[in-house]
Amino acid sequence: MKSPEGEDRKPEQQSGDVQWLKAADVRSYRRGQTIVKTGSELAEWVAISQGAACLVSKVATDTRVAVAALWLGDVIGWGSPLGKLASRYDVTALVDVTTISIPLGRVPPPDPHRPSDTAQLCEATEARLQDQITMRLAGNGLQRLVSVLATLATALTSDNPEAQQAGSFALPISQACIGDLSGLSRRQAWILLGQLAEQGWLRTSKTKLTLEGLGSWLGLMGEVERTGLDCIASAEQCAATLARLARPGR
C-alpha cells in the first residue's frame, strides 16, 4: 500500500483499515432493489464496492425525486451524507450492486495522526453528492442531462477497465430514469437526447441509449470543472467540447 507521499508503508505502519475490511459483510442487490430506505437507522458503515445506485428523495406523499448517483467507494451507511442516525433518502440499485458493510463496533476509531480511509471515502461521497446537486440547481436542462450522462458513464465503467477502453458504451438505464436524474420530464429528456444524437455523440433506440466516444464522455465533467458550464450550454457546444477531448495530446 502506498502512503499519500507515494512511499511504501511497512506492515507495522498500516492502519487497521485493511484488516477490518477483510471482515466486511458482502451483500448483493439486483437492479431496482432498495438498498437503504428513507428513515431507516444507519447502524452500519456501508460502502458500494461494485455497481451504481441512485439516491431518491420523497418530497410529497406520492412524489419522489431522483437526487444523485453514487458508485464505487461511495459510503451509503453510517458517516455518509445520507444522514446522521437515519437515512434521508432511499438508495436504489441502478444496476446490480455489491456493498460491503461493517457493524459500528468494528469500525476502527479515528487516527489523530492521519485521516482514516473511512473518513476520506465519506468526504469523497459528500463531494460527489454536492457536485450533482449543484449541477441540478445551476445548469439548464441540457447541461443537467449531459452531466448525468457523463456521471453515469463514469459510475458504470469505474470498475471495468475494458469498458473504459471501448469506443462506445450502452447505458443499462432507461431514458425515463436518466430524465428523472436530470430533473426533466420524459418528453424534455427525449427532445434533448435527440439533439445530442444529431451531433453524433450518442445513439438512441426504444430500449437503449449508447454513448459514442466514451473516452470524451469520461473526461467531460473534468473539463466542465476547468472551463465552466458554458462548454456544454448547447448541443453544439457540447459536441465541440467532446470533439476537443477526443483529440490526441490535448
Side-chain angles (χ1 to χ4, degrees):
M1 179 179 291
K2 297 285 187 179
S3 71
E5 294 77 19
E7 296 177 354
D8 290 330
R9 289 166 56 194
K10 297 178 181 179
E12 63 268 20
Q13 293 176 311
Q14 294 181 12
S15 71
D17 292 347
V18 173
Q19 294 304 316
W20 63 263
L21 280 175
K22 290 181 179 179
D25 182 19
V26 178
R27 299 171 186 167
S28 298
Y29 301 86
R30 301 302 299 271
R31 176 180 177 178
Q33 190 172 356
T34 298
I35 303 172
V36 177
K37 292 183 178 180
T38 301
S40 62
E41 182 181 1
L42 298 175
E44 297 177 299
W45 188 91
V46 183
I48 298 172
S49 62
Q50 187 173 19
C54 177
L55 299 190
V56 178
S57 178
K58 187 176 182 180
V59 296
T61 303
D62 57 353
T63 304
R64 292 156 54 84
V65 176
V67 175
L70 297 178
W71 59 95
L72 178 65
D74 283 326
V75 180
I76 56 174
W78 174 82
S80 73
L82 273 65
K84 292 185 178 180
L85 300 178
S87 177
R88 296 175 292 172
Y89 306 99
D90 280 351
V91 183
T92 304
L94 283 171
V95 293
D96 290 353
V97 169
T98 302
T99 66
I100 57 173
S101 61
I102 310 287
L104 290 188
R106 298 177 67 178
V107 176
D111 185 339
H113 301 295
R114 73 175 187 90
S116 68
D117 292 346
T118 53
Q120 291 178 19
L121 289 175
C122 289
E123 290 173 4
T125 303
E126 176 74 32
R128 280 183 182 172
L129 179 58
Q130 289 305 317
D131 284 348
Q132 292 177 68
I133 290 175
T134 299
M135 178 61 76
R136 285 182 69 107
L137 296 174
N140 63 32
L142 182 74
Q143 288 166 332
R144 297 197 305 270
L145 178 66
V146 167
S147 118
V148 165
L149 292 174
T151 296
L152 289 175
T154 301
L156 298 171
T157 63
S158 60
D159 56 356
N160 190 338
E162 291 183 359
Q164 291 183 7
Q165 295 173 4
S168 62
F169 181 70
L171 293 172
I173 296 174
S174 69
Q175 291 187 27
C177 180
I178 290 170
D180 197 14
L181 278 168
S182 308
L184 300 169
S185 69
R186 185 173 299 188
R187 176 170 173 76
Q188 288 172 320
W190 179 78
I191 292 172
L192 294 175
L193 287 169
Q195 292 177 8
L196 292 171
E198 289 177 0
Q199 297 296 321
W201 287 94
L202 60 81
R203 289 181 286 114
T204 60
S205 68
K206 290 183 178 179
T207 60
K208 188 180 297 185
L209 177 63
T210 302
L211 300 180
E212 298 292 349
L214 179 60
S216 293
W217 283 101
L218 294 177
L220 186 57
M221 294 317 295
E223 184 70 9
V224 170
E225 185 175 343
R226 286 189 295 272
T227 65
L229 279 170
D230 284 348
C231 72
I232 56 170
S234 68
E236 293 77 13
Q237 288 168 301
C238 179
T241 301
L242 289 167
R244 185 170 66 253
L245 291 173
R247 293 171 191 157
R250 57 178 180 81

